[in-house]
Amino acid sequence: MVTIRSCRKCSKYNNFSICRNMLYYIVYPFWYLVSLLPLGMLYAVSDALYPLVYHIGRYRRKIVRKNLTLSFPERGLSEIIRIEKAYYRWFCDYIVESLKMLSMPKDEMMRRMQFEGCEQIEACFDEGHPVSVYLGHYCNWEWITSLPLHVRHGICAQIYHPIENKKFDELFLKLRGRFGAVSIAKDDTLRAVLTWKRDKKMNVIGYIADQVPGLANVHLWVDFLHHDTPVFSGAEKITVKTHADVFYADIVRTRRGYYRCTFRPMKPEGEYQEFFYTKEYFRLLEQSIQKVPQYWLWSHNRWKRTREQFNRDYNPEEQAKMLAHL
């Protein structure tokens, strides 16, 4: 006879999971109904949200101020505060814009999120080349998932980090797939692209490559916004392995509620050198941020890991082995 004993820890986790699922069923209908409002009315919600987030809740104000101050040492405090406030206003807009995706019609999305250079992607497909697109957490990266509305053939995909709660994970997958984009879990990326390569299925994959990596995944440090910055190189590894053509998604906000993404080729002038695409991406992203800084995700704790910590945790021999696995 087998006796089954309940684990208090597991029971607590299961109860927490049930509560989160219940929260989903309560929140989702409300979110959807709100998304049906015209975007102009949602911007009124954003305007009301701004003082709550910035002045009252003070959401990550210390991190934002620190990131801005260290990234723009040449700018005075008044200019830093101006950018800071503009960032929070845009961040509130980003929230309602992303919410609007739940119900936004295709024609409205195509009018508000425009792409220039899609013919370059089509030309790559015609030549039998897959495409890698590097982008950052700049402007509304969620709206980039509408690219399938502009590309005639081929798979349009983006890499994502699965959310622990399955219901909310399904929600974001549905949100990002409304216009035909495919979401690939981060750990499944190489398997997916190699399968498409074997089956000769043309694809364009978007890599949001400005996230902070775990120290075990650091193979390169770059000078980015006056910081010694650890970066991911996995996108470049996959790009080189699949012989993909590479573009930088240069995104601008032309006015409130309207964005334009221009695909700019990233090609080495001579023979390819290791990490060229990663270094070029961060150079171009820094240019975008320097032009209009408030549209980058400053509330992300981007520089929480340092080279000193990396060197302390991994000796030179271990670092060489990590690099050899690329």
Side-chain angles (χ1 to χ4, degrees):
M1 181 178 179
V2 178
T3 303
I4 301 177
R5 295 182 178 142
S6 62
C7 171
R8 183 176 299 175
K9 183 177 180 180
C10 292
S11 177
K12 183 178 180 180
Y13 174 80
N14 288 335
N15 289 336
F16 181 58
S17 179
I18 291 171
C19 288
R20 287 191 299 183
N21 288 339
M22 291 176 62
L23 180 64
Y24 166 81
Y25 288 115
I26 294 171
V27 168
Y28 175 72
F30 173 74
W31 282 354
Y32 184 81
L33 289 174
V34 172
S35 77
L36 294 174
L37 294 173
L39 197 51
M41 293 183 66
L42 287 175
Y43 282 135
V45 174
S46 173
D47 292 340
L49 190 61
Y50 165 73
L52 296 177
V53 174
Y54 182 70
H55 292 290
I56 300 175
R58 301 178 65 86
Y59 173 70
R60 296 199 169 193
R61 281 270 298 269
K62 290 183 179 180
I63 291 176
V64 172
R65 178 69 60 86
K66 178 182 177 182
N67 285 343
L68 286 171
T69 302
L70 295 179
S71 296
F72 303 111
E74 73 284 0
R75 307 197 187 197
L77 179 60
S78 61
E79 177 67 5
I80 293 296
I81 293 175
R82 184 195 68 78
I83 297 171
E84 179 182 273
K85 290 180 177 179
Y87 164 71
Y88 278 96
R89 289 191 181 278
W90 166 80
F91 183 71
C92 292
D93 280 0
Y94 162 77
I95 292 173
V96 300
E97 287 173 356
S98 299
L99 186 64
K100 183 63 181 175
M101 285 182 68
L102 286 170
S103 61
M104 186 184 290
K106 290 182 180 180
D107 58 346
E108 183 178 0
M109 176 57 80
M110 292 180 71
R111 182 167 51 85
R112 291 182 176 278
M113 182 70 237
Q114 299 181 345
F115 293 88
E116 292 184 356
C118 289
E119 68 281 355
Q120 298 177 89
I121 294 176
E122 298 282 0
C124 294
F125 289 171
D126 292 340
E127 294 173 3
H129 299 166
V131 173
S132 292
V133 173
Y134 282 72
L135 64 150
H137 287 94
Y138 188 79
C139 288
N140 194 322
W141 57 91
E142 298 291 354
W143 282 15
I144 300 297
T145 59
S146 64
L147 179 60
L149 300 177
H150 301 263
V151 175
R152 294 194 317 272
H153 65 281
I155 301 168
C156 296
Q158 64 273 334
I159 313 305
Y160 85 105
H161 295 264
I163 300 173
E164 183 180 350
N165 182 273
K166 291 184 178 180
K167 289 298 179 183
F168 280 98
D169 190 54
E170 290 173 5
L171 171 61
F172 279 95
L173 287 175
K174 180 179 180 181
L175 190 72
R176 292 165 181 167
R178 274 202 68 225
F179 303 107
V182 175
S183 294
I184 309 172
K186 183 174 71 72
D187 294 340
D188 297 333
T189 306
L190 184 58
R191 185 183 307 111
V193 296
L194 290 179
T195 299
W196 291 336
K197 181 177 177 63
R198 182 198 64 201
D199 297 340
K200 297 183 179 180
K201 293 182 178 179
M202 291 298 97
N203 59 85
V204 52
I205 299 181
Y207 297 94
I208 299 183
D210 58 349
Q211 301 177 57
V212 57
L215 290 179
N217 297 314
V218 175
H219 304 111
L220 178 68
W221 297 76
V222 299
D223 182 12
F224 176 59
L225 292 171
H226 297 283
H227 290 81
D228 191 21
T229 307
V231 299
F232 281 112
S233 58
E236 181 151 0
K237 174 184 176 182
I238 295 170
T239 292
V240 172
K241 196 175 188 67
T242 57
H243 305 287
D245 291 328
V246 189
F247 295 86
Y248 170 66
D250 187 4
I251 310 169
V252 297
R253 196 186 204 201
T254 55
R255 58 192 173 100
R256 199 177 197 184
Y258 292 85
Y259 297 89
R260 183 179 67 250
C261 173
T262 302
F263 294 112
R264 305 199 182 280
M266 299 203 309
K267 296 181 179 179
E269 293 182 359
E271 186 178 348
Y272 166 78
Q273 299 292 324
E274 188 177 33
F275 299 127
F276 165 79
Y277 296 119
T278 305
K279 293 177 181 178
E280 182 68 359
Y281 159 69
F282 276 97
R283 185 184 72 83
L284 293 170
L285 178 61
E286 182 171 300
Q287 284 184 359
S288 297
I289 295 170
Q290 289 282 2
K291 288 178 184 176
V292 190
Q294 61 261 33
Y295 297 147
W296 194 52
L297 190 62
W298 292 105
S299 51
H300 180 47
N301 195 5
R302 181 61 183 85
W303 293 285
K304 63 184 177 183
R305 297 190 175 95
T306 65
R307 194 191 289 259
E308 290 75 18
Q309 181 186 1
F310 179 66
N311 290 334
R312 185 173 63 248
D313 292 351
Y314 299 96
N315 60 46
E317 182 178 345
E318 291 172 323
Q319 293 179 27
K321 287 181 180 179
M322 292 160 63
L323 190 59
H325 287 323
L326 281 175

